[in-house]
Amino acid sequence: MGYINYKEKKKLEYNPDGSFRKERVLHVPNEKAREAGAHIVRMLVELRDKDMSDLFSRSAVGGIKGRGLRDNVMPHRKNKHFVMYDLKDAYPNTRIGQLASVILRPDLIYSEHELVANREELSDNTYRMLHDCMLVDEETKEIHGLPQGGTASPFLLNLSCIPLDEKLDKYCREQNLTYTRFIDDFTISSLEPIGKKRQREIKEIITSRPNTIINDKKTRKHSLDNKPVIITGVSLYPDGRIEMSPPLARKIESFYDYVLEAASSGDIDQLDELWEDENSMRGKINGYHSMIKSFGYTNTPLHRRLERKYRAALGRWEDSFEVAYKMRRAETKNLK
């Protein structure tokens, strides 16, 4: 199956010990899809005349500028009991109608002086731009949802979750619960145990969002006794300390090792993978580094090692562009 504006790419993921973990299918956007996503963000900024972060609930964290992994954990520091939910296929299950209905909500986007005519005009433009951001079958033209790997997908997923965040924020306030959402990972916590009745009510609210399925295999319940709880890669300790979890540290180190190996290999396929999407790869290298820094630098062997590998990976990746370009030029010349 082929998609308009997106190139499908399969990525094998491995555990830190080298064992196979899973195969993930990503969709790399072309220039038209990237521009459509950027245009939607610019349009909303212009309409609201505000910073986009105020569009989202404070409970929404991942994929929003200025909000990171630590922000997903900080609100839970004083609590002892946790329930965590993960959505199944959150991106492909997000439909164009959900997004359009949120974007066109007058109370979210428009100020009081906006004219109805402008809203009607926006409706057609919005649909066209959203269409270019979605996975659309080349043959049937069927729209399959948001692409995993699309540059605008995290922003659009957060946008579609605004009504859900409003419901969960209200419920959790009434129940003295703490709620945060990191993209498709939901964390609910409390000083007291969260009983089955409240767990059932929380799940009903989450699944009230259209096409939303909870991945029950990933649902977790924790009590913060003598051991830390890991929330989206962050370790929260009983004394309130927040640190990068060992699995997250291994994941970051494995990624930097992969970049170093691929950029040094001279293998054109590996180089192409690094070279294919410049902004995405640079963003990921620097994004992991920003994540490390958000926990505060400590002069430990782990932090020193990660800092060295970050600098080496960024330098090697930039060098790989020139190498891949020369190799591709040589191949093209030989074909002629």
Side-chain angles (χ1 to χ4, degrees):
M1 180 186 294
Y3 297 105
I4 299 172
N5 297 330
Y6 289 91
K7 177 182 176 183
E8 189 170 281
K9 181 173 69 173
K10 292 183 179 180
K11 180 182 178 184
L12 302 181
E13 294 189 354
Y14 297 89
N15 295 311
D17 62 4
S19 59
F20 176 74
R21 181 165 169 257
K22 65 179 179 180
E23 179 181 276
R24 184 187 293 274
V25 178
L26 300 178
H27 298 93
V28 181
N30 63 14
E31 191 60 35
K32 184 178 181 181
R34 290 195 193 99
E35 179 54 32
H39 193 97
I40 288 176
V41 176
R42 288 196 301 269
M43 176 190 70
L44 294 179
V45 170
E46 290 170 3
L47 281 171
R48 290 175 59 81
D49 195 26
K50 295 177 181 178
D51 187 311
M52 283 305 297
S53 63
D54 85 312
L55 174 63
F56 302 104
S57 162
R58 293 305 304 176
S59 302
V61 180
I64 300 172
K65 187 177 180 180
R67 305 183 194 179
L69 287 174
R70 278 180 60 89
D71 301 294
N72 190 47
V73 180
M74 288 291 287
H76 302 281
R77 291 178 72 183
K78 295 182 180 179
N79 291 334
K80 299 297 180 183
H81 299 274
F82 304 81
V83 181
M84 302 175 206
Y85 302 98
D86 179 87
L87 298 188
K88 184 176 182 180
D89 298 327
Y91 286 109
N93 283 338
T94 299
R95 305 304 186 193
I96 193 167
Q98 292 171 265
L99 290 162
S101 65
V102 172
I103 290 175
L104 296 172
R105 263 177 60 175
D107 60 314
L108 286 177
I109 305 302
Y110 288 86
S111 58
E112 293 178 2
H113 65 271
E114 288 290 343
L115 300 176
V116 175
N118 290 343
R119 185 170 184 267
E120 291 172 349
E121 181 183 348
L122 177 64
S123 181
D124 291 337
N125 293 334
T126 299
Y127 189 88
R128 284 195 295 271
M129 287 184 290
L130 286 175
H131 185 275
D132 289 339
C133 291
M134 311 296 282
L135 284 179
V136 182
D137 190 294
E138 282 183 327
E139 293 184 4
T140 66
K141 310 305 179 190
E142 181 183 355
I143 302 174
H144 288 270
L146 286 172
Q148 179 87 30
T151 49
S153 291
F155 173 84
L156 293 174
L157 179 59
N158 277 321
L159 202 63
S160 75
C161 284
I162 286 177
L164 172 57
D165 289 333
E166 291 172 341
K167 292 178 184 178
L168 271 177
D169 281 336
K170 182 177 184 293
Y171 175 84
C172 289
R173 280 196 306 270
E174 293 171 349
Q175 297 291 322
N176 293 317
L177 300 172
T178 302
Y179 159 60
T180 59
R181 177 180 59 81
F182 192 93
I183 308 291
D184 57 355
D185 291 304
F186 294 70
T187 303
I188 315 287
S189 68
S190 174
L191 281 170
E192 304 297 329
I194 303 172
K196 290 183 179 180
K197 179 176 180 292
R198 291 199 290 181
Q199 290 178 40
R200 184 173 62 253
E201 290 170 345
I202 290 166
K203 290 180 70 173
E204 287 174 355
I205 293 172
I206 293 174
T207 54
S208 70
R209 175 180 178 266
N211 307 305
T212 298
I213 303 168
I214 292 175
N215 189 341
D216 290 324
K217 292 181 180 179
K218 292 187 176 181
T219 297
R220 294 185 294 145
K221 303 167 192 173
H222 290 277
S223 294
L224 193 58
D225 298 320
N226 298 321
K227 295 182 180 180
V229 58
I230 296 178
I231 303 173
T232 54
V234 179
S235 293
L236 172 61
Y237 289 83
D239 61 4
R241 281 182 298 122
I242 292 177
E243 295 181 2
M244 181 167 49
S245 69
L248 177 59
R250 289 195 295 270
K251 179 180 179 180
I252 294 173
E253 188 167 13
S254 296
F255 170 71
Y256 286 152
D257 286 340
Y258 160 73
V259 174
L260 286 167
E261 179 184 351
S264 304
S265 68
D267 185 309
I268 190 63
D269 292 330
Q270 284 189 300
L271 286 172
D272 271 353
E273 186 170 349
L274 293 182
W275 194 37
E276 186 170 34
D277 188 349
E278 176 180 357
N279 292 327
S280 176
M281 184 56 71
R282 182 189 294 275
K284 193 169 183 180
I285 293 171
N286 288 324
Y288 275 139
H289 187 242
S290 297
M291 194 182 296
I292 296 167
K293 291 195 298 182
S294 72
F295 292 97
Y297 180 77
T298 55
N299 193 24
T300 60
L302 172 63
H303 271 218
R304 290 197 299 269
R305 187 168 70 249
L306 289 176
E307 184 68 22
R308 285 196 305 270
K309 290 193 175 184
Y310 158 70
R311 295 185 182 281
L314 186 62
R316 289 280 183 85
W317 171 79
E318 289 174 341
D319 290 343
S320 76
F321 273 89
E322 184 177 354
V323 173
Y325 177 68
K326 289 179 178 178
M327 292 176 70
R328 191 57 78 203
R329 278 188 64 186
E331 280 192 359
T332 304
K333 189 180 270 187
N334 290 336
L335 288 173
K336 291 178 180 178

